[in-house]
């Protein structure tokens, strides 16, 4: 994965932020919707430790890869989860303390701040609008099953395209400072960024674990620490 000394993050012009576990604490609503889905579908409920690893990555990846469920069963669970989450869990996700202020400080310094999330894009927009944060971002990018945009790499590609950054990313590949940096709490955020030659910073207040901490990537354990890395 692309490495970047934390001290150089102040020079990166575009900051991409994950949503769940990075901008907002969506865990309680997601866990409740997962419990509902497993009960409704008559599927044994995994431990909370396992369920917490489902926050962030695409759910089908977790249902099939972690639990070994068949695609049809995975889709049944996804639909049951989505119905419950959209009705009861989505709007309960509140921003982490200090994140709105960090976004505004970055924007005030001329940096471009965008969202790149595995949440469906329409869902991400609704959540951030409810929190009054949708206008803080240059773009809110998420998954879109209808177009095949179903993982973090594809989401980042879409965000880069819509921000007209493809040429800037390619040009920056030969320089010390990349065109953008990805900030997220899970390893798949860093892997999605690496697919485009972009570095990543993992945050310590979300839903990552030992896998993230042992990945050898820059880690910001608090919002204040991330602010220092990005703003100096």
């Amino acid at each position: 994965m692309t490495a970047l000394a934390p001290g150089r993050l102040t020079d990166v012009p575009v900051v991409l932020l994950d949503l769940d576990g990075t901008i907002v604490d969506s865990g309680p609503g997601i866990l409740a919707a997962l419990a509902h889905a497993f009960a409704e579908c008559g599927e044994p409920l995994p431990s909370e430790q396992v369920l917490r690893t489902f926050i962030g990555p695409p759910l089908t990846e977790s249902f099939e890869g972690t639990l070994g469920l068949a695609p049809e069963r995975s889709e049944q669970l996804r639909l049951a989860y989505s119905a419950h989450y959209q009705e009861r869990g989505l709007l309960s996700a509140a921003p982490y303390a200090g994140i709105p202020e960090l976004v505004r400080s970055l924007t005030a310094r001329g940096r471009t701040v965008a969202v790149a999330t595995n949440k469906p894009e329409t869902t991400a927009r609704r959540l951030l609008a409810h929190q009054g944060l949708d206008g803080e971002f240059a773009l809110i990018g998420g998954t879109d099953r209808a177009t095949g945009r179903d993982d973090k790499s594809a989401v980042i590609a879409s965000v880069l395209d819509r921000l007209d950054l493809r040429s800037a990313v390619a040009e920056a590949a030969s320089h010390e400072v990349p065109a953008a940096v990805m900030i997220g709490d899970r390893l798949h955020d860093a892997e999605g960024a690496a697919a485009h030659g972009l570095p990543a910073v993992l945050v310590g207040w979300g839903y990552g674990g030992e896998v993230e901490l042992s990945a050898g990537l820059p880690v910001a354990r608090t919002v204040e620490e991330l602010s220092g890395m990005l703003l100096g």
Side-chain angles (χ1 to χ4, degrees):
M1 282 180 265
T2 305
L4 178 68
R8 301 308 302 271
L9 292 174
T10 55
D11 300 325
V12 178
V14 178
V15 178
L16 307 179
L17 292 172
D18 177 44
L19 182 58
D20 296 324
T22 302
I23 297 175
V24 299
D25 184 4
S26 51
I30 290 175
L31 293 173
L34 284 169
H36 170 84
F38 278 87
E40 183 173 291
C41 294
E43 194 71 34
L45 182 68
S47 68
E48 182 171 333
Q49 181 179 6
V50 171
L51 289 175
R52 286 174 68 87
T53 69
F54 293 3
I55 301 174
L59 280 178
T60 52
E61 179 182 304
S62 298
F63 292 153
E64 296 172 27
T66 301
L67 300 181
L69 298 178
E72 311 82 53
R73 190 60 165 164
S74 171
E75 181 64 4
Q76 288 177 339
L77 278 169
R78 188 192 68 80
L79 290 173
Y81 161 86
S82 181
H84 187 279
Y85 181 69
Q86 290 288 341
E87 180 181 349
R88 302 186 185 183
L90 173 66
L91 301 184
S92 67
Y96 289 100
I99 285 292
E101 291 80 7
L102 173 57
V103 171
R104 292 174 190 130
S105 293
L106 288 166
T107 302
R109 295 194 185 191
R111 314 279 280 280
T112 298
V113 186
V115 175
T117 175
N118 275 330
K119 251 186 173 43
E121 189 164 307
T122 54
T123 301
R125 290 179 181 277
R126 183 177 167 220
L127 189 163
L128 289 169
H130 178 73
Q131 295 294 344
L133 296 175
D134 52 328
E136 303 290 344
F137 301 98
L139 178 69
I140 298 171
T143 53
D144 182 350
R145 291 169 63 86
T147 63
R149 195 165 74 228
D150 57 4
D151 62 19
K152 187 52 66 86
S153 176
V155 169
I156 291 174
S158 172
V159 170
L160 294 176
D161 283 339
R162 286 184 280 172
L163 290 176
D164 197 23
L165 287 173
R166 282 290 192 166
S167 59
V169 169
E171 182 180 345
S174 60
H175 300 125
E176 289 186 19
V177 179
V181 61
M182 180 73 214
I183 313 295
D185 65 319
R186 301 298 307 279
L187 192 59
H188 74 273
D189 294 311
E191 292 171 341
H196 303 284
L198 300 177
V201 174
L202 299 177
V203 303
W205 57 83
Y207 293 90
E210 187 57 38
V211 171
E212 283 74 19
L213 293 176
S214 62
L217 293 165
V219 175
R221 296 185 179 273
T222 65
V223 175
E224 291 76 15
E225 192 173 331
L226 178 63
S227 298
M229 294 168 71
L230 293 174
L231 297 170

